[in-house]
Amino acid sequence: MRQAATAALGDNRGAVVVVDPLNGRLLTVVNQKLAFSSGYIPCSTIKLVVALAAVEEGLVAPDTKVWFDGYWFMTITEGLAISNNVYFSHLGERLGFERLKRYAHRYGFGEKAGWHLAGEQLGEFPAEEHSYGIGRMSTFGDGILASPLQLAAFVSAISNGGRLYYLQRSNSPAGRAGFQPRLKRDLQLSERVRTVEPGMSEAVRRGTGRKARTPGQKVWGKTGTCSERIRGRRTRVGWFASYNEADGRRLVVVVLLKGRSDAAGPRAAEVAGKIYKMLGERKYFSSTGDVRQQAALVQPGCCSE
């Protein structure tokens, strides 16, 4: 697991977080400094929050056509597949800031994702609407700080139908054998997930995350690309928040890239795709046994700088 994540990241400046979505166990973290940080602008990965919130509020359904000036329309599946900013700005404005904030907090943003993870810092969801407006917040995540850990916990909840687990790590054999999941809250997303999963699947099949396509595996994901200002300078940020399914098992992989001119969502998707591919080639998913036996396959040393 760790070899695959490190090799896939290569010389990119960034972080990788891999989680078992069935129990919240951290399987590996590459570049703990970035992964445990106070967070970065989530870019278009915030669209997953907006999509689920809009579905829960009854604003859209899978077949809802939202019409725009110029006589064109878009559905939530197409909006997620191509990461359309006009569509999600529209949904964000219909939701309004207070509802978006409420759902974001419910999904784990603005609070720590881990259970006593030494060094984990708190992300931020602002108390007030960003000066750029709710449209920018809903499309680029302006004013929000999200960590790879928070995104990994959130996407794990999408993958497993709504159980938001605390992320935990256990490096000792005894700790792995006695691992106990800790449920933060049940989001009850099983029906809503059916609305957003097609868009996440299409994003990988033909959209912004297509570099994560992996033969023999299903992959769902959402890219994010933008820039943020740090100490007066603009720096690029690229995300890919994803999960797969292979031989009846699922893994969550979140990739953050930053700094370089090519730090972008599609490149982050490529890193995740390499991880899924390498694990598939090494028969990780086809190993027999239950979830605890699967966890025992992971070697000690989940995290590093």
Side-chain angles (χ1 to χ4, degrees), residues 9-15 31 34 40 235 256-260 263:
L9 186 61
D11 63 355
N12 291 290
R13 185 185 178 211
N31 197 337
L34 288 182
Y40 301 90
T235 183
L256 165 68
L257 302 179
K258 66 183 305 289
R260 296 189 349 183

Side-chain angles (χ1 to χ4, degrees), residues 28 39 54 56 96 107 114 117 129 148 168 195 232-233 243 254 259 269 280-281:
T28 197
E56 290 211 47
Y107 299 156
L117 289 180
E129 184 175 326
Q168 301 179 78
T195 305
R233 299 180 62 183
Y243 56 92
V254 171
E281 291 173 345

Side-chain angles (χ1 to χ4, degrees), residues 212-262:
R213 286 184 298 191
T214 309
Q217 300 183 34
K218 296 179 182 179
V219 180
W220 296 262
K222 182 70 195 77
T223 57
T225 304
C226 57
S227 62
E228 62 180 355
R229 187 174 295 277
I230 299 177
R231 299 184 185 92
R233 299 180 62 183
R234 284 282 177 183
T235 183
R236 294 268 294 180
V237 179
W239 291 95
F240 189 61
S242 69
Y243 56 92
N244 80 330
E245 184 173 297
D247 290 324
R249 295 183 173 189
R250 288 191 174 191
L251 282 182
V252 164
V253 175
V254 171
V255 178
L256 165 68
L257 302 179
K258 66 183 305 289
R260 296 189 349 183
S261 60
D262 58 354

Side-chain angles (χ1 to χ4, degrees), residues 38-218:
S38 58
Y40 301 90
I41 184 172
C43 309
S44 287
T45 62
I46 197 64
K47 290 171 180 170
L48 291 175
V49 175
V50 176
L52 283 173
V55 171
E56 290 211 47
E57 288 293 309
L59 301 181
V60 289
D63 57 351
T64 301
K65 296 178 180 179
V66 178
W67 291 88
F68 298 95
D69 292 340
Y71 203 67
W72 64 280
F73 69 85
M74 184 160 288
T75 64
I76 194 168
T77 295
E78 186 68 12
L80 285 169
I82 65 172
S83 198
N84 186 271
N85 293 330
V86 174
Y87 178 83
F88 280 97
S89 178
H90 170 80
L91 287 189
E93 289 169 357
R94 291 186 64 189
L95 275 170
F97 174 74
E98 290 301 326
R99 283 199 290 189
L100 178 60
K101 180 175 71 171
R102 174 161 51 88
Y103 279 103
H105 282 300
R106 183 182 171 199
Y107 299 156
F109 293 87
E111 62 186 30
K112 289 185 177 181
W115 181 262
H116 299 313
L117 289 180
E120 181 190 5
Q121 300 179 54
L122 190 63
E124 179 183 347
F125 198 94
E128 298 179 352
E129 184 175 326
H130 193 277
S131 59
Y132 284 138
I134 188 64
R136 290 277 302 186
M137 292 187 75
S138 302
T139 53
F140 298 104
D142 280 350
I144 303 167
L145 294 178
S147 73
L149 294 178
Q150 289 170 331
L151 271 175
F154 171 54
V155 175
S156 292
I158 296 176
S159 171
N160 67 37
R163 295 181 300 281
L164 184 65
Y165 287 110
Y166 285 103
L167 301 186
Q168 301 179 78
R169 61 183 179 187
S170 179
N171 295 334
S172 69
R176 291 197 301 274
F179 182 84
Q180 294 295 325
R182 292 183 181 272
L183 183 66
K184 180 183 289 188
R185 49 187 167 267
D186 190 347
L187 305 177
Q188 299 181 345
L189 295 178
S190 57
E191 294 299 321
R192 280 76 173 178
V193 166
R194 295 174 187 172
T195 305
V196 301
E197 268 197 331
M200 296 175 71
S201 176
E202 286 297 291
V204 174
R205 189 182 73 84
R206 61 177 175 83
T208 58
R210 57 188 177 275
K211 289 186 177 181
R213 286 184 298 191
T214 309
Q217 300 183 34
K218 296 179 182 179

